[in-house]
């Protein structure tokens, strides 16, 4: 397959590859000829995305690994190197939120549950830092490699209620910049670290928050659309162009940035 992005034959790993955005990213890369590893907390979750990739003619493999367990990640790293001899792209798409780290309309900060907050912080920021630490060892030896982190519209513009999620995604923005300097400064220009900050995309975790059972907008959903100039929620395919740009030599002099794909949400003011 000829492509201006020239990704054919490269090897990628996607943590959280069973999610809505992660699975779509796997399909997009596979269509460009990338051999795509799907990292899931369960093998069934990962294999479901592999099946979707294979259905469109791509090549993929499933790996069961916990992004919060360094030993798990090291096993995955060794497996990839033994099977393919290299790794070119790491996408840290694992993440999430929990009810106890969210402040409801009738709650206050005093109601936040510490255990839930800790899980959200761990999953989003530690679940980004730890894979980056483990797999960047390959990149350092190769003198090449790309890391793409997944930030959020709530990172630089904190949203009401989602205190834990917003704080952890803001930490990802900071880590992206730090890691970009660390890797390029020590190992050369072939190592790049960037992030994508999606706006509001409908997923299983936020569907009930944004949409009523009949598909109409909830009050929260209405406020978000009011502050999104393009007037709609994102769909996974909206990330395709930015993903391919950051994974390819089209962005070979780009590192340490966070690209907002949010329909103008971050640019809006009252």
């Amino acid at each position: 397959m000829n492509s201006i992005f020239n990704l054919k034959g490269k090897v990628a790993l996607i943590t959280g590859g069973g999610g809505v955005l992660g699975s779509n990213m796997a399909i997009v890369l596979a269509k460009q000829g990338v051999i795509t590893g799907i990292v899931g907390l369960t093998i069934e979750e990962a294999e479901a995305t592999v099946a979707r990739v294979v259905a469109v003619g791509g090549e993929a493999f499933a790996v069961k690994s916990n992004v919060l367990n360094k030993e798990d990640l090291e096993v995955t790293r060794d497996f990839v190197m033994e099977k393919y001899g290299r790794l070119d792209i790491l996408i840290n798409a694992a993440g999430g939120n929990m009810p106890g780290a969210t402040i409801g309309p009738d709650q206050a900060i005093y109601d936040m549950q510490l255990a839930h907050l800790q899980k959200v912080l761990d999953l989003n920021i530690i679940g980004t830092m730890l894979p980056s630490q483990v797999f960047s060892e390959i990149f350092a030896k190769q003198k090449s490699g790309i890391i793409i982190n997944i930030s959020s519209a709530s990172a630089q513009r904190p949203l009401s209620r989602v205190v834990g999620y917003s704080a952890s995604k803001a930490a990802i923005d900071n880590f992206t910049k730090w890691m970009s300097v660390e890797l390029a400064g020590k190992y050369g220009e072939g190592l790049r670290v960037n992030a994508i900050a999606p706006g509001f995309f409908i997923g299983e975790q936020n569907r009930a928050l944004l949409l009523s059972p009949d598909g109409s907008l909830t009050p929260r959903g209405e406020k978000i659309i009011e502050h999104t100039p393009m007037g709609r929620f994102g769909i996974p395919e909206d990330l395709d162009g930015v993903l391919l740009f950051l994974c390819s030599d089209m962005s070979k002099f780009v590192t340490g940035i966070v690209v907002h794909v949010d329909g103008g949400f971050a640019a809006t003011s009252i």
Side-chain angles (χ1 to χ4, degrees):
M1 179 187 299
N2 293 323
S3 169
I4 61 171
F5 298 105
N6 193 28
L7 294 173
K8 186 175 182 180
K10 291 189 179 293
V11 180
L13 274 181
I14 305 178
T15 70
V20 173
L21 299 185
S23 60
N24 184 74
M25 289 177 178
I27 291 171
V28 171
L29 291 179
K31 285 181 177 179
Q32 296 295 323
V34 178
I35 301 166
T36 310
I38 311 302
V39 181
L41 194 55
T42 67
I43 196 65
E44 292 79 12
E45 174 186 285
E47 287 177 341
T49 298
V50 169
R52 293 180 60 193
V53 169
V54 172
V56 299
E59 181 178 351
F61 59 95
V63 181
K64 176 182 178 296
S65 188
N66 184 346
V67 296
L68 300 180
N69 186 306
K70 187 176 182 181
E71 289 73 22
D72 265 13
L73 294 169
E74 289 172 339
V75 169
T76 298
R77 179 195 62 199
D78 295 344
F79 166 78
V80 171
M81 291 302 291
E82 181 178 345
K83 186 173 179 64
Y84 297 103
R86 64 180 298 104
L87 179 66
D88 301 289
I89 300 163
L90 170 67
I91 300 176
N92 288 310
N97 198 9
M98 294 195 71
T102 299
I103 308 302
D106 56 346
Q107 293 180 310
I109 186 65
Y110 320 108
D111 299 308
M112 184 171 60
Q113 299 176 34
L114 180 58
H116 282 204
L117 173 64
Q118 188 65 63
K119 288 181 179 179
V120 172
L121 295 174
D122 285 347
L123 182 57
N124 289 302
I125 183 58
I126 302 302
T128 293
M129 295 179 74
L130 202 54
S132 297
Q133 178 190 32
V134 170
F135 294 108
S136 65
E137 184 175 347
I138 298 174
F139 298 155
K141 292 176 181 178
Q142 294 175 167
K143 302 297 183 182
S144 66
I146 291 166
I147 298 176
I148 298 178
N149 299 323
I150 304 302
S151 179
S152 168
S154 66
Q156 295 303 313
R157 188 177 182 180
L159 304 180
S160 60
R161 305 187 193 177
V162 287
V163 56
Y165 186 80
S166 294
S168 60
K169 289 297 186 178
I172 287 175
D173 284 7
N174 185 282
F175 175 68
T176 296
K177 296 174 183 179
W178 183 91
M179 194 67 165
S180 70
V181 175
E182 173 73 5
L183 294 186
K186 288 184 177 178
Y187 306 108
E189 65 179 77
L191 284 77
R192 299 190 288 109
V193 186
N194 295 293
I196 299 173
F200 293 88
F201 290 66
I202 301 297
E204 294 309 312
Q205 288 189 334
N206 66 1
R207 184 178 301 276
L209 182 67
L210 303 177
L211 297 176
S212 301
D214 63 2
S216 62
L217 295 173
T218 63
R220 178 78 160 182
E222 289 178 352
K223 287 184 179 180
I224 288 168
I225 293 300
E226 286 174 3
H227 287 82
T228 302
M230 289 188 175
R232 66 172 175 87
F233 296 119
I235 58 174
E237 292 75 15
D238 289 331
L239 301 178
D240 294 0
V242 169
L243 174 68
L244 294 176
F245 171 71
L246 292 177
C247 285
S248 73
D249 284 347
M250 298 287 285
S251 59
K252 63 183 179 181
F253 198 51
V254 176
T255 195
I257 70 166
V258 180
V259 183
H260 290 263
V261 185
D262 62 3
F265 182 86
T268 307
S269 61
I270 296 175

